[in-house]
Amino acid sequence: MTSPTMPKQTTDVDRLVGIRITALRKARGMSQTALGNAVGVTFQQVQKYEKGQNRVGAGRLREIARLLEVPVSAFFEEDRPSEGPQEDVFSFLSAHGAIELLRAYASIQDDQVRRDVLSIVRSAARLSQAKAAIEDGAVADE
């Protein structure tokens, strides 16, 4: 039995909800301050929600969902097994710069320029992976 004075611990679900709030907020181009003001909390509280340090109450989560124009279930849905193994889109979108990169890419009107940008990004990813593999090999040799 839990003591009434023990603080509540956050869980993996709280962290998942936070990751998804971050991704959806950024996708809307909304700041933590704007979201906080809209739901009646400080931007620091929004930061704690997004990091999974504090739990988001049901009513507040419903309000956040309304503001971000998603169903509440968007914060909880997991990959469907029938779709096969996929990376969690929300985890991907929480990578630094991912939303900005997607926005910039989507703003490119010319299809050939889009293909060229995609080729550049893929090349950069391959170079980064090769560099990491070399560095890992160098560390293993030491």
Side-chain angles (χ1 to χ4, degrees):
M1 185 163 171
T2 305
S3 166
T5 59
M6 278 187 69
K8 295 178 184 174
Q9 298 294 314
T10 57
T11 66
D12 288 341
V13 172
D14 298 313
R15 287 180 280 284
L16 174 68
V17 167
I19 287 169
R20 292 180 177 196
I21 289 172
T22 303
L24 292 165
R25 176 184 57 76
K26 287 182 176 181
R28 292 272 175 220
M30 185 181 286
S31 70
Q32 290 176 331
T33 301
L35 180 60
N37 288 339
V39 298
V41 299
T42 64
F43 80 89
Q44 292 97 334
Q45 184 61 44
V46 172
Q47 286 177 334
K48 289 179 181 183
Y49 291 154
E50 291 184 355
K51 291 179 183 178
Q53 293 173 332
N54 284 9
R55 290 184 171 169
V56 184
R60 185 151 294 135
L61 188 60
R62 188 177 85 185
E63 183 63 14
I64 290 170
R66 186 188 66 73
L67 289 165
L68 298 176
E69 300 177 9
V70 297
V72 172
S73 62
F75 299 109
F76 301 100
E77 291 175 350
E78 296 180 20
D79 291 337
R80 290 170 179 77
S82 61
E83 295 174 358
Q86 295 180 336
E87 287 185 71
D88 182 5
V89 172
F90 291 98
S91 294
F92 167 76
L93 291 175
S94 68
H96 183 71
I99 300 288
E100 292 83 2
L101 179 63
L102 288 172
R103 275 201 187 112
Y105 181 81
S107 72
I108 298 170
Q109 300 297 316
D110 185 291
D111 286 340
Q112 183 58 50
V113 173
R114 274 190 180 189
R115 285 190 290 275
D116 292 344
V117 167
L118 183 57
S119 177
I120 290 167
V121 171
R122 285 181 175 152
S123 294
R126 284 191 297 272
L127 287 171
S128 177
Q129 291 167 351
K131 180 181 175 188
I134 290 169
E135 289 173 354
D136 287 345
V139 170
D141 291 342
E142 292 177 359

